[in-house]
Amino acid sequence: MKYNVYVLIIVLSLFYTYPVFSAQNDNIKPLLISMSDDSYPFQYVDENGVESGLLVDYWLLWAKTNQRQIEFRPTNWQQSLKDVESGLTDIHMGMANTLSRRRAFEFDQSISKVQSYLYINKILASSKELGQMTPYRVGVVKGSAHIELLQQKLPNVSFAYYDNRKQLIDAVKANEIYVFAGLEGYLRESEVSQEMLMSFPFKRRIALDELSFYPVVKKGDAAKLHNIMHGFTQIEQAELSGIKRKWLGIQRGQNEVIIAMQVGVEPYADVGPNGLPHGLLVDIWKLWSDKTGLPVRFIAGDMKEAIDNVKKGSADVQLGYPESESMKSGLNRAHLIYQVSSRLFTYKKQYKTLADMKGKVFAVAPTSPYLSELIEALPESDFRYLSNVEEMIKATESGETDGFVAASAWTQHYLLLKQQWEDFYQFPTLHFKTDLYALNRGNDLGFSERIATGFDLMTSAELAAIEAKWILNPRDRIYSPTKELLLLNAKQRAMIKNLGKIKVGFVNNWAPMEYKNAEGHYAGINSEVFGILGRELDLQLEYVEFSDWQALLDALLKGDIDMSGSIAATAERKNDLVFSLPYWPSPWGVVTSLDSVNIFSLSELNGLRLAVVEGYHIVADLMREYPTVKLVLVPNSHAGLNSVEEGKADVFIDKVMNLSSGLKKGHFSNLKMSMLVDFAEQRSHIGINKSKQSLLPYINGVISTIDREQQQEIHHKWVSQTIEFGREDFENRLRVSILVFCALAIFVIMALLANRRLRREVALRIEAENKMALFAKHDSLTKLPNRSMIEERLEQAILIHSREMSQFAVIFIDLDGFKAINDAHGHHIGDEYLIAVSAALATSIRRSDTVGRLGGDEFIVILNQVESIAAVDNVAELLLQCLAKSFVIGDLSLSASASMGIAIYPADGDSVDTLLKTADTHMYRAKNTGGKSSRNSLQQ
């Protein structure tokens, strides 16, 4: 009974007090929150006078969740503390917990954590040791937690005090201080200049401690603080994580893969001035993300931090670690991601043989996985063990060591930055490989399989394109468009083995393309190409000799031989053969007698006797297009040259290289050669009988690896005579004509006619030379400027705009979904699509600007004399709209979308490489957010 009375009293009390409580709640005062106006990116006032930052967003979310009004009271940091202490505000938004602050304020639970750093100018000696910072004044904001933190860690530290962050940043820009304390994200604000970001690279930071942010109230108000903090428990953790990711980018998203990366090892991995990761390994992981559909994010640190982040679960995988018997991380080797080439470097002297190194001293890292190989290769040399490349370079320059062995690409990059590249030499025959593995925790083997699966989805061409972008020396590159062929699976290996011997036909007298040498062996340019095919695919090749071209072609069509080089891909031959990608330029030329006028076009052959090798595809074309030409069929090139020499034919037509070789080796002093402009773009293919067409994709893969450098080596080996255009002959004729004209007035009319003909020759010659120049500087498919011309235009733009103190923009364009078009409709549709896109881009910019093709589906636009980033964004949007229109290709209607990255000179770089890399980085940002957009340095 007594219990019931108590319950009744409580109910009546609530009934009568509820209206009063409601009225009070309706009239409750806003919570006054003290905050700093200059602590980016946590609490600050932006350029529009609006309170912004990570903690501001936290409190706005708190207010929304708890249906409570709040008011922010921003002021300088010290005043914001005084406002709480004096009661002018109810609570401070957030601060670190220090001993002095605990005396003045009440603390409860933290609402966020962040890493604090010492930011160090790059002109100071490189160091990760806090104790080495003692000689320098450390810039701090008055009243900041960094003061007590540094005094604990570095008792002898001296400070330079500033009233707020802006004053500190201004002092940094003015070079008043070279070290300052700040939190994560301190330099990400758009107003921080590119120059300052370059002067304080992220890889030079020294981590101080992880600081927590606590809302605080004045002493004695602990109960009020506890009630306020209870409101944070009502907020979903995912919402808080989203805010933190927005401002700092360090919280895991759904299905997101976190990759721990080491910095300071460019070109493999580093953090750029804009705070974004870049490098070869970074790009490979971005490609992995594209293949798997899983978003990736990178956490930067040194090598040890990267390993620790994986071990403690802050990251899922390590970017790429030189795991070996001498460097064991304790993590699982999920996948072999790359092989780093290491070479021997010497200073201002070059060793020619291993014997020269006897008794010499070389520096090397004690943990190098190739150490035993190095000692075995140089048994009579001594070694000094140094921990890093910078120490090795100093020791070599000072003469303490005679050289050092280190990662080639990293060392080249370092020496180029220090402008010391010309002082160092590499010893070419000493070459060591270090395996880099993607590492994950050993108890997560399922994820290891997902990692490997993602890498298996990558094509060799994609990996080769990434590597060519970052690795300067082709000898240090490991990827090629045939990388997957070098890792053939069991089924592929069995298929190639079951094919048995592959018969390759060649003509024995068609130098320099192919012939039988004095030793009776297959030789020439085609022999080099087939040698590469045999090595890369482990093919068993049997070479079959023919004395004339027609016999070889008949044997190939019948299947008596399996393949042959330098076969033209005609519609008729496609019934029995399949054709490889073009692998060698094969322009055509003609040979005439020395006293005849040079010929540059087939239209000049009317009425002449033209010798041509029987079986050439050009025979049918000549009969159809030039019926007035009298054809003289010959069995081979030598017979064709003889026919002109002996007067049986007026002209002989053949491949320029064959004519050049024939003229050099034979006794044809009365003959001369000129190039046919009509056929300057012809290229050679490998013709494959359809019984062996299963080899075609593998052959194409190998052909794609034959780069320009290899082509030049092959060319120098087999071709020694240059192409002459008869310029000297023309000049002699002109002089004779002038003398005859002056001496014999009666031949004026004849001289004028002769001069007219000579003018025509000049025009044709100029046309030929211009066309050859066009080939060197323009993309063969789209006719747009190629990489070489793009770089020239960028160098010109830098020179002009630096003089005029103006800016220009570089837009890096990567088409979205181009691979899908190729896969669905074939490469011929893909090529037409690229041509259509190129035309659309070219018509969308000013005549003073440039659009070029880097290769594949990548384009570059150079916009001169831009006024602002907003103007460039407008152009990018216009280009996206232009590409979105339908392109009619055959019976198909295709539209395009693209991801675009924007770099501005000089804000984003003052060199060609820096501008291209920055634009490429922003392009990947656009692609990672779904494409169909553009990104620049001002967009976070």
Side-chain angles (χ1 to χ4, degrees), residues 850-867:
T850 298
V851 59
R853 182 187 179 207
L854 285 181
D857 58 349
E858 294 180 338
F859 297 85
I860 289 291
V861 172
I862 304 171
L863 302 178
N864 293 307
Q865 301 293 340
V866 297
E867 295 181 358

Side-chain angles (χ1 to χ4, degrees), residues 99 128 219 300 358 460 497 565 655 696 745 848:
L99 179 62
K128 283 290 184 180
K219 273 293 185 182
K358 182 178 179 180
S460 299
K497 184 177 181 180
K655 301 293 179 67
L696 180 62
S848 59

